[in-house]
mmCIF file of all heavy atoms in Angstrom:
data_model
loop_
_atom_site.group_PDB
_atom_site.id
_atom_site.type_symbol
_atom_site.label_atom_id
_atom_site.label_comp_id
_atom_site.label_asym_id
_atom_site.label_seq_id
_atom_site.Cartn_x
_atom_site.Cartn_y
_atom_site.Cartn_z
ATOM 1 N N LEU A 869 -15.300 -9.658 -27.833
ATOM 2 C CA LEU A 869 -16.301 -10.412 -27.089
ATOM 3 C C LEU A 869 -17.478 -10.800 -27.963
ATOM 4 O O LEU A 869 -17.825 -10.091 -28.894
ATOM 5 C CB LEU A 869 -16.811 -9.564 -25.911
ATOM 6 C CG LEU A 869 -15.734 -9.107 -24.922
ATOM 7 C CD1 LEU A 869 -16.344 -8.203 -23.868
ATOM 8 C CD2 LEU A 869 -15.045 -10.294 -24.274
ATOM 9 N N SER A 870 -18.088 -11.938 -27.627
ATOM 10 C CA SER A 870 -19.356 -12.310 -28.244
ATOM 11 C C SER A 870 -20.441 -11.781 -27.318
ATOM 12 O O SER A 870 -20.659 -12.326 -26.240
ATOM 13 C CB SER A 870 -19.477 -13.832 -28.360
ATOM 14 O OG SER A 870 -18.460 -14.321 -29.205
ATOM 15 N N LEU A 871 -21.072 -10.720 -27.746
ATOM 16 C CA LEU A 871 -22.067 -10.087 -26.894
ATOM 17 C C LEU A 871 -23.372 -10.870 -26.957
ATOM 18 O O LEU A 871 -23.674 -11.507 -27.961
ATOM 19 C CB LEU A 871 -22.280 -8.641 -27.351
ATOM 20 C CG LEU A 871 -20.992 -7.811 -27.412
ATOM 21 C CD1 LEU A 871 -21.296 -6.393 -27.866
ATOM 22 C CD2 LEU A 871 -20.282 -7.779 -26.073
ATOM 23 N N SER A 872 -24.123 -10.813 -25.883
ATOM 24 C CA SER A 872 -25.425 -11.483 -25.888
ATOM 25 C C SER A 872 -26.492 -10.402 -26.055
ATOM 26 O O SER A 872 -26.195 -9.210 -25.884
ATOM 27 C CB SER A 872 -25.607 -12.266 -24.580
ATOM 28 O OG SER A 872 -25.707 -11.375 -23.494
ATOM 29 N N PRO A 873 -27.722 -10.799 -26.386
ATOM 30 C CA PRO A 873 -28.778 -9.794 -26.570
ATOM 31 C C PRO A 873 -28.977 -8.928 -25.323
ATOM 32 O O PRO A 873 -29.433 -7.794 -25.426
ATOM 33 C CB PRO A 873 -30.026 -10.636 -26.860
ATOM 34 C CG PRO A 873 -29.502 -11.944 -27.355
ATOM 35 C CD PRO A 873 -28.178 -12.158 -26.678
ATOM 36 N N SER A 874 -28.610 -9.460 -24.167
ATOM 37 C CA SER A 874 -28.845 -8.709 -22.928
ATOM 38 C C SER A 874 -27.658 -7.820 -22.524
ATOM 39 O O SER A 874 -27.715 -7.128 -21.521
ATOM 40 C CB SER A 874 -29.144 -9.687 -21.789
ATOM 41 O OG SER A 874 -28.004 -10.494 -21.536
ATOM 42 N N THR A 875 -26.555 -7.851 -23.290
ATOM 43 C CA THR A 875 -25.380 -7.057 -22.942
ATOM 44 C C THR A 875 -25.713 -5.561 -22.940
ATOM 45 O O THR A 875 -26.330 -5.068 -23.877
ATOM 46 C CB THR A 875 -24.232 -7.298 -23.947
ATOM 47 O OG1 THR A 875 -23.937 -8.686 -23.990
ATOM 48 C CG2 THR A 875 -22.974 -6.537 -23.540
ATOM 49 N N ASP A 876 -25.279 -4.866 -21.903
ATOM 50 C CA ASP A 876 -25.463 -3.411 -21.841
ATOM 51 C C ASP A 876 -24.341 -2.757 -22.646
ATOM 52 O O ASP A 876 -23.217 -2.625 -22.176
ATOM 53 C CB ASP A 876 -25.413 -2.943 -20.389
ATOM 54 C CG ASP A 876 -25.607 -1.438 -20.264
ATOM 55 O OD1 ASP A 876 -25.827 -0.764 -21.298
ATOM 56 O OD2 ASP A 876 -25.530 -0.932 -19.128
ATOM 57 N N LEU A 877 -24.661 -2.365 -23.889
ATOM 58 C CA LEU A 877 -23.633 -1.809 -24.777
ATOM 59 C C LEU A 877 -23.076 -0.486 -24.258
ATOM 60 O O LEU A 877 -21.937 -0.127 -24.561
ATOM 61 C CB LEU A 877 -24.198 -1.620 -26.186
ATOM 62 C CG LEU A 877 -24.636 -2.932 -26.862
ATOM 63 C CD1 LEU A 877 -25.237 -2.639 -28.221
ATOM 64 C CD2 LEU A 877 -23.478 -3.900 -26.972
ATOM 65 N N ALA A 878 -23.836 0.211 -23.447
ATOM 66 C CA ALA A 878 -23.370 1.493 -22.901
ATOM 67 C C ALA A 878 -22.131 1.287 -22.029
ATOM 68 O O ALA A 878 -21.296 2.185 -21.905
ATOM 69 C CB ALA A 878 -24.485 2.161 -22.095
ATOM 70 N N TYR A 879 -21.990 0.101 -21.444
ATOM 71 C CA TYR A 879 -20.836 -0.179 -20.589
ATOM 72 C C TYR A 879 -19.536 -0.003 -21.373
ATOM 73 O O TYR A 879 -18.516 0.424 -20.833
ATOM 74 C CB TYR A 879 -20.944 -1.613 -20.058
ATOM 75 C CG TYR A 879 -19.808 -2.002 -19.141
ATOM 76 C CD1 TYR A 879 -19.744 -1.506 -17.844
ATOM 77 C CD2 TYR A 879 -18.801 -2.860 -19.573
ATOM 78 C CE1 TYR A 879 -18.704 -1.861 -17.004
ATOM 79 C CE2 TYR A 879 -17.760 -3.212 -18.732
ATOM 80 C CZ TYR A 879 -17.723 -2.712 -17.452
ATOM 81 O OH TYR A 879 -16.689 -3.054 -16.620
ATOM 82 N N PHE A 880 -19.568 -0.309 -22.674
ATOM 83 C CA PHE A 880 -18.358 -0.255 -23.491
ATOM 84 C C PHE A 880 -18.012 1.157 -23.948
ATOM 85 O O PHE A 880 -17.110 1.346 -24.743
ATOM 86 C CB PHE A 880 -18.478 -1.216 -24.678
ATOM 87 C CG PHE A 880 -18.535 -2.650 -24.231
ATOM 88 C CD1 PHE A 880 -19.724 -3.339 -24.212
ATOM 89 C CD2 PHE A 880 -17.390 -3.287 -23.783
ATOM 90 C CE1 PHE A 880 -19.779 -4.650 -23.777
ATOM 91 C CE2 PHE A 880 -17.437 -4.600 -23.344
ATOM 92 C CZ PHE A 880 -18.634 -5.283 -23.340
#
Side-chain angles (χ1 to χ4, degrees):
L869 302 176
S870 297
L871 305 180
S872 67
S874 65
T875 304
D876 180 2
L877 297 177
Y879 181 74
F880 295 103

